[in-house]
Amino acid sequence: MQQQLRYVGKDMPRRDAVQRVTGRTKYTADITFGKTLHASLLHSPYPHAVVKRVDASKALKMPGVVHVLTPFNTPQHRFGRTFSPVPWKVIQDRKIIDPVQRFAGDIVAAVAAETPETAADAVELIEVDYEPLDYVDSAEKALHPDAPLVHDEIEVGGSVRKLSSNVGFADVVEIGSREAAYSRVVKTYEDSFRTQILYNAAIEPRAMIVSPRPDGTLDVYCTTQSIHGTRYWLSKALQIPMNKVVVHGMTLGGGFGAKYNLAIHEPVIAYLAMATGKTVKFVSTRQQDFYTTARRAAYMDVRLGVSREGRIEAMEMKAVLQSGAYADHMIEAVTCTGGWFISSYAASYRYFEGKGVYTNLPVCGAMRGFGNPQQNFALESLVDEIAEDIGEDPLEFRLKNLPREGDIYYGQGPTVTTVIRSMKLENAARKAASAFGWTTERKVVGNVVHACGVAVGHHTSGTGGQMSETQDRQEGAGTILKLNEDGTISLNTAMVEMGPGEHETLANICAEYLGTKPENVYVEIGNTQYTPFDMGTHASRGTYVGGLSVIDAAEKLRQQIFEMAAEMMECSPRDLRMVEGRIVHVESPEKHVTLSDVAMRFKTRKGFLPIAVSGLRPNAAPPSWAVIFAEVSVDLETGHVKVEKVAGGYDIGTVVNYAEAAGQAHGGIATGIGYALTEEVAVVDGKYANPSFMDYLLPSAAETAETIVFFADSHDPYGPFGAKSIGELATNPVASAIANAVSRAVGKRFKKLPLTPQTVYAAVKQP
């Protein structure tokens, strides 16, 4: 089947490449309407405080200032900001502007003025009286019995819930018999691991334009990964009907999960537009963008039990996730971290206990991997330790303990499962290991030690799974396809293009299915008034869920085309096939009509052009798998670590576009290098200490490594043309492989990220 494909499985060039690299692509910040007001925000200087008084009189007297919002002239109802769960399970703990400020950077006031400069100057004139409160700036402090509460109450499902601790959500997952598993265990290993706060670091910061129509409808242009998710919670925040909120899909300059929530400033900007009746624009500074989301810091206790044959029989984890001042994705982060952990190896007993904890720090949301890199670092570090202890090759130990086809995958936790129907990681792992030169031997050259590490990881393809028809799950996608008079096809979707080429992939899949060329398929993201529902670009679902939706619509359109073509050619639709824009008779290829002919016949005989609409909820979320090999050099005199070489082997089903898949792999490896070695949001006295690219250390070209990428010869029956995902998978095991390599080089296990020169040097010098 794969050899017959013309476009899927090939290197396909990006049609928007020239526009992007020449700066012609328009992003939200590039747009300005006439007579636009500009917003500026005043942020709390305290991690925890009550606003007692706001005096905006001096600001309002400034020429060009139109309006000022404060906690005392905005509605005080709570709303949620998390897109994925069904709404009645979302924790609602945010107000447009709350008199209780819960982190340094929370919003105290907002100014709308005629120029950005005027708005910024006016913010400086606002006088505020604060009552500082005690605060907690780590999960450990937040869990102390005497810790001050970040929230004393929240709302869930329409009910107010009183809180007696800073635990916003807790979950326990248990699979199998503990007693039976431990009866086969001959040795138990356990340890504790910690990971840091990370910033998503999309090059494009958050931006928003809200333009009111005369009837009160709001046109919203913003940096979101889900136009329908934004519409839902923005309408709730503003307390206006959903059909009065029109969210327009915009091209994103990266996201990595950062834009998959309703940002804390977005209801504020929208309310400014409502209050003034004028268009309001806001573009975050880099520091403000740091306040919108982050990867959660985690600390994890892991316990693994191994049998005499070297099988992992029992695996247990207790995890605490630092979630910041508001519950962005708090519930899903806990449940998904548990799902990732228990899906990693085929142990007969698996246990996970997780807590999402409020702190007085900026909000943590989604970031590439969504809890998977954290648990992977802890689990793969301990797995490496076991392999060394029992004298097995670390790669072989992992491969023999992996799940197999027919096993259950618990990607998002035990309520939504998928039967694994493709598992070809070993194929790619062998190729990558050979090309990489995998070895467990250390090489010492002067003060520099070279060593290699390995780690295995996985990720879901979307958030679907085996569900009953009565089970609620907010996962779905829709597509509209229209055949035009010239035989071209218009594809309308609500799936946001985030940068990796989601729309190109949908065009290729559509062209493959309908027997036309990709350049004849035009993909447009519309707005929430006329696009089918789509959950958004997240959870590595673009190719898999979006592709299934396109194929569903394409099949419906093809049926219409075949029926009309059969009428035109006086034959049965069963005798026809589509190739290169023509509908051809199978037995008499000289008999054919073009897609243009069919479209015109519809238009002149039926009075319309054929349109097909799809909408579906996937019944599976097939896992993709990766193995990462990393070679590092460690300078024992300075503690400096350099990643010299990385090889990745991936089972992602059918590779729809090799160039884009390889690009995702390279990008994921770069993200993992930063996670392992350089990146950390520092917290000092309850505040972010380095919210800028001057001080937050992203990996540069100097930190990148020679990279080799291999894809398994794989095909997943669930996926469109056999495809699965790669987006988040590409990052998940990278930091773990690097940490294992550094541990092997130094001869000591590292249990906390990042591996800074100071950390490594201290370990080297420790007796």
Side-chain angles (χ1 to χ4, degrees), residues 256-257 295 333 336-337 340 366-375 411 458-460 539-540 671 727-732:
F256 312 110
R295 190 190 297 285
C336 284
T337 300
W340 309 138
M367 185 174 175
R368 193 175 194 174
F370 198 60
N372 210 331
Q374 293 98 310
Q375 70 82 27
H458 59 90
H459 208 76
T460 185
S540 301
T671 300
E728 292 166 278
L729 169 76
T731 288
N732 293 339

Side-chain angles (χ1 to χ4, degrees), residues 311 346 399-408 420 423 426:
R311 297 283 180 182
L399 291 178
K400 81 176 184 181
N401 279 289
L402 286 175
R404 300 286 185 251
E405 291 182 11
D407 288 349
I408 300 296
I420 298 173
M423 181 54 163
E426 185 171 351

Side-chain angles (χ1 to χ4, degrees), residues 256-549:
F256 312 110
K259 296 161 185 173
Y260 193 67
N261 66 345
L262 189 68
I264 58 171
H265 63 265
E266 288 179 333
V268 178
I269 306 308
Y271 198 76
L272 266 177
M274 290 176 61
T276 61
K278 297 182 179 181
T279 301
V280 177
K281 179 178 180 179
F282 174 77
V283 180
S284 296
T285 65
R286 184 57 61 183
Q287 180 172 343
Q288 288 171 326
D289 204 63
F290 266 79
Y291 298 152
T292 60
T293 192
R295 190 190 297 285
R296 291 166 170 79
Y299 62 86
M300 298 154 285
D301 298 327
V302 187
R303 176 187 173 100
L304 301 178
V306 182
S307 71
R308 194 176 307 280
E309 296 74 28
R311 297 283 180 182
I312 299 174
E313 290 287 348
M315 48 194 297
E316 302 181 58
M317 174 181 281
K318 294 182 179 180
V320 174
L321 305 180
Q322 190 278 121
S323 294
Y326 297 95
D328 290 28
H329 301 284
M330 178 190 282
I331 295 174
E332 313 92 89
V334 172
T335 58
C336 284
T337 300
W340 309 138
F341 174 73
I342 64 175
S343 296
S344 298
Y345 289 102
S348 57
Y349 176 71
R350 304 169 227 187
Y351 177 87
F352 174 82
E353 181 181 318
K355 295 176 181 178
V357 179
Y358 283 115
T359 63
N360 291 114
L361 292 174
V363 293
C364 295
M367 185 174 175
R368 193 175 194 174
F370 198 60
N372 210 331
Q374 293 98 310
Q375 70 82 27
N376 187 275
F377 166 66
L379 176 60
E380 288 297 291
S381 295
L382 195 55
V383 165
D384 218 55
E385 195 174 312
I386 294 171
E388 183 177 351
D389 183 62
I390 66 177
E392 284 201 32
D393 181 275
L395 173 62
E396 301 302 328
F397 179 71
R398 287 171 167 86
L399 291 178
K400 81 176 184 181
N401 279 289
L402 286 175
R404 300 286 185 251
E405 291 182 11
D407 288 349
I408 300 296
Y409 184 71
Y410 303 91
Q412 288 80 48
T415 60
V416 183
T417 60
T418 295
V419 176
I420 298 173
R421 297 176 68 184
S422 67
M423 181 54 163
K424 298 292 188 290
L425 180 61
E426 185 171 351
N427 171 276
R430 300 291 182 201
K431 292 179 182 178
S434 176
F436 175 80
W438 164 242
T439 178
T440 57
E441 299 297 319
R442 298 163 72 248
K443 179 182 176 183
V444 181
V445 181
N447 293 322
V448 178
V449 181
H450 291 255
C452 299
V454 63
V456 166
H458 59 90
H459 208 76
T460 185
S461 304
T463 63
Q466 293 174 310
M467 294 173 278
S468 68
E469 292 184 1
T470 59
Q471 184 176 349
D472 296 313
R473 185 78 173 176
Q474 197 155 269
E475 165 65 299
T479 301
I480 298 175
L481 294 179
K482 182 180 74 171
L483 179 63
N484 300 310
E485 293 94 329
D486 61 354
T488 59
I489 295 166
S490 297
L491 190 160
N492 180 267
T493 177
M495 182 169 287
V496 176
E497 168 61 65
M498 205 155 51
E502 291 93 340
H503 288 180
E504 293 285 334
T505 296
L506 299 185
N508 291 347
I509 289 172
C510 181
E512 189 73 66
Y513 201 87
L514 291 177
T516 188
K517 297 178 180 179
E519 54 264 35
N520 290 335
V521 180
Y522 179 78
V523 181
E524 179 179 12
I525 180 167
N527 63 52
T528 50
Q529 293 291 66
Y530 62 82
T531 54
F533 171 76
D534 186 283
M535 197 55 253
T537 308
H538 80 116
S540 301
R541 66 190 291 278
T543 296
Y544 176 72
V545 182
L548 289 175
S549 174

Side-chain angles (χ1 to χ4, degrees), residues 521-758:
V521 180
Y522 179 78
V523 181
E524 179 179 12
I525 180 167
N527 63 52
T528 50
Q529 293 291 66
Y530 62 82
T531 54
F533 171 76
D534 186 283
M535 197 55 253
T537 308
H538 80 116
S540 301
R541 66 190 291 278
T543 296
Y544 176 72
V545 182
L548 289 175
S549 174
V550 167
I551 286 177
D552 190 37
E555 174 57 28
K556 294 174 181 176
L557 186 63
R558 184 166 69 171
Q559 290 176 13
Q560 296 180 57
I561 292 169
F562 276 13
E563 288 173 4
M564 180 60 76
E567 180 182 309
M568 295 168 70
M569 298 167 67
E570 298 181 343
C571 64
S572 168
R574 293 189 298 273
D575 299 330
L576 303 176
R577 66 187 178 98
M578 302 176 76
V579 57
E580 295 185 347
R582 297 178 300 151
I583 300 91
V584 179
H585 195 285
V586 175
E587 295 181 355
S588 304
E590 70 280 0
K591 294 175 61 176
H592 70 271
V593 294
T594 66
L595 286 174
S596 177
D597 296 333
V598 172
M600 289 303 297
R601 179 61 67 93
F602 266 103
K603 184 177 178 180
T604 59
R605 299 286 178 91
K606 301 285 189 181
F608 63 87
L609 292 170
I611 292 179
V613 181
S614 69
L616 57 83
R617 182 176 75 168
N619 64 354
S624 297
W625 296 84
V627 59
I628 295 291
F629 300 93
E631 178 189 339
V632 302
S633 59
V634 180
D635 189 323
L636 301 180
E637 290 299 313
T638 65
H640 178 262
V641 177
K642 175 73 170 73
V643 181
E644 303 288 351
K645 183 168 61 174
V646 175
Y650 307 88
D651 172 11
I652 62 171
T654 299
V655 182
V656 175
N657 186 326
Y658 275 88
E660 289 186 358
Q664 286 277 43
H666 281 259
I669 288 167
T671 300
I673 290 173
Y675 193 28
L677 301 180
T678 65
E679 294 184 51
E680 180 173 19
V681 177
V683 176
V684 178
D685 296 329
K687 303 177 184 180
Y688 279 3
N690 57 335
S692 74
F693 282 159
M694 289 291 292
D695 302 309
Y696 183 83
L697 301 179
L698 289 167
S700 67
E703 281 78 44
T704 56
E706 175 191 349
T707 301
I708 314 166
V709 172
F710 292 91
F711 294 106
D713 182 10
S714 181
H715 180 275
D716 195 281
Y718 293 119
F721 294 106
K724 299 189 287 187
S725 69
I726 187 174
E728 292 166 278
L729 169 76
T731 288
N732 293 339
V734 177
S736 309
I738 294 169
N740 286 338
V742 176
S743 294
R744 181 165 287 111
V746 175
K748 296 177 182 178
R749 178 62 51 186
F750 289 89
K751 304 171 187 178
K752 183 179 182 297
L753 296 179
L755 305 179
T756 63
Q758 297 90 333

Side-chain angles (χ1 to χ4, degrees), residues 43-59:
H43 299 280
S44 171
Y46 298 102
H48 201 189
V50 175
V51 176
K52 308 298 288 186
R53 182 184 69 92
V54 177
D55 184 352
S57 58
K58 293 179 183 178

